[in-house]
Amino acid sequence: AASLILPACLPAAQIGYCSLHRCPLKASPSAPPRHMRLLLYGDSLTAGYHSNGLRFSPWAPALRALLGVEAVDAVGHSGWTSSEMRAAMDEEAADVCGLKKPGMRLAMRTQGPFDAVVILAGTNDLASEGSPERISGSIQLLHAAARAEGARTVAMAIPESLAARHVPALAATRAVANERLAAWARSQGESVLWVDTGALLPYSEPSAEGGHLWEPDGLHLSQAGYAALAERLAPKLAPWLLLAPARESAGSLPPPSAPPSPPRGGLAAAGTDRRAPA
């Protein structure tokens, strides 16, 4: 049976890094203003985790080159659920790979300002047996916090995976959570851009076309997959970034309904097996 339980991360000291910035890239023809600054925020799919944690290939440099903007920073907490991201927005904390990184709001205040925040979360929530309403609600609260800091946001759908495609309960939870998140994002006008991650980069079996874009674990992208994600996302971001280049004011943003408070008893309290980071 398909499973989300994957090999553990190596200790932080053994993790190597591999950048995509050497790839030949062509900037978008409808490039946004060069002064714009973006933050990519999420789990190990934002961090660029691959090769069973031996390497990370962050796709932020590739996206920056494609958009031609001033900066694209990235913070990816491997193994975290959206509830844990929400609970640690103002803290610096170690993820399951032992890498200490700032929470989203802390990153925005210390590394910003940012014009837009791209939020890719929810994969680990599927393994934690959270309800679709709670998963969507937690992700919406991340968006509300980012917008309160003056940034517009990009709502990335919970991606496909081997388990989410073949385990009925996970597939149903993912589908409903994404439907709720999409409906909310589209109700926010130009302040929030909805991106169907599954349509952008559908899961492929290793032997199928596009299989080289995915790791054998069926959950993470390969180095080529992260490059493809940046290349396919850039054309969707560029025209939206052109709509309102000025940063939002932090006033009167309609908050989403709050889900129940997440557990604060450490990683085990969240109910997700953190041997399987995403």
Side-chain angles (χ1 to χ4, degrees):
S3 172
L4 288 179
I5 298 177
L6 307 178
C9 293
L10 291 180
Q14 299 180 38
I15 293 176
Y17 291 86
C18 180
S19 175
L20 298 174
H21 71 276
R22 292 185 297 272
C23 298
L25 299 169
K26 182 181 291 186
S28 169
S30 55
R34 292 189 61 85
H35 68 270
M36 298 195 83
R37 307 182 77 252
L38 280 66
L39 173 66
L40 310 182
Y41 185 77
D43 51 35
S44 63
L45 296 174
T46 297
Y49 175 112
H50 68 97
S51 301
N52 292 330
L54 288 169
R55 288 182 169 80
F56 287 72
S57 291
W59 45 283
L63 187 63
R64 177 182 177 274
L66 288 161
L67 292 173
V69 295
E70 178 182 327
V72 178
D73 292 350
V75 176
H77 302 283
S78 296
W80 279 24
T81 65
S82 60
S83 292
E84 288 172 321
M85 296 175 193
R86 180 166 62 91
M89 284 196 290
D90 300 301
E91 305 170 9
E92 184 176 47
D95 62 17
V96 300
C97 292
L99 300 175
K100 293 190 70 173
K101 301 173 185 178
M104 185 188 70
R105 188 156 50 207
L106 179 61
M108 293 186 72
R109 292 178 177 178
T110 58
Q111 301 174 24
F114 294 102
D115 298 277
V117 179
V118 180
I119 299 176
L120 177 57
T123 295
N124 291 300
D125 298 68
L126 298 181
S128 69
E129 301 180 355
S131 69
E133 295 77 16
R134 178 168 181 169
I135 295 171
S136 174
S138 287
I139 296 173
Q140 288 177 44
L141 287 171
L142 289 172
H143 285 269
R147 292 176 61 194
E149 295 298 312
R152 293 188 296 153
T153 60
V154 179
M156 302 283 288
I158 300 171
E160 289 191 342
S161 66
L162 173 64
R165 177 171 287 189
H166 293 292
V167 178
L170 296 182
T173 298
R174 174 183 173 272
V176 175
N178 278 340
E179 288 172 3
R180 294 178 64 89
L181 188 59
W184 169 80
R186 289 166 178 151
S187 74
Q188 302 301 300
E190 295 176 355
S191 294
V192 180
L193 174 66
W194 168 251
V195 175
D196 185 346
T197 316
L200 201 68
L201 198 63
Y203 174 73
S204 297
E205 302 285 350
S207 59
E209 182 179 357
H212 69 290
L213 301 178
W214 291 83
E215 290 286 282
D217 62 34
L219 181 62
H220 297 95
L221 299 175
S222 64
Q223 184 176 6
Y226 290 117
L229 179 59
E231 291 167 4
R232 298 177 189 185
L233 180 60
K236 294 186 176 295
L237 289 183
W240 176 76
L241 290 170
L242 282 168
L243 292 176
R247 298 182 180 99
E248 284 190 354
S249 64
S252 62
L253 297 174
S257 56
S261 298
R264 288 305 307 242
L267 296 175
T272 301
D273 190 333
R274 285 317 194 280
R275 294 175 297 163

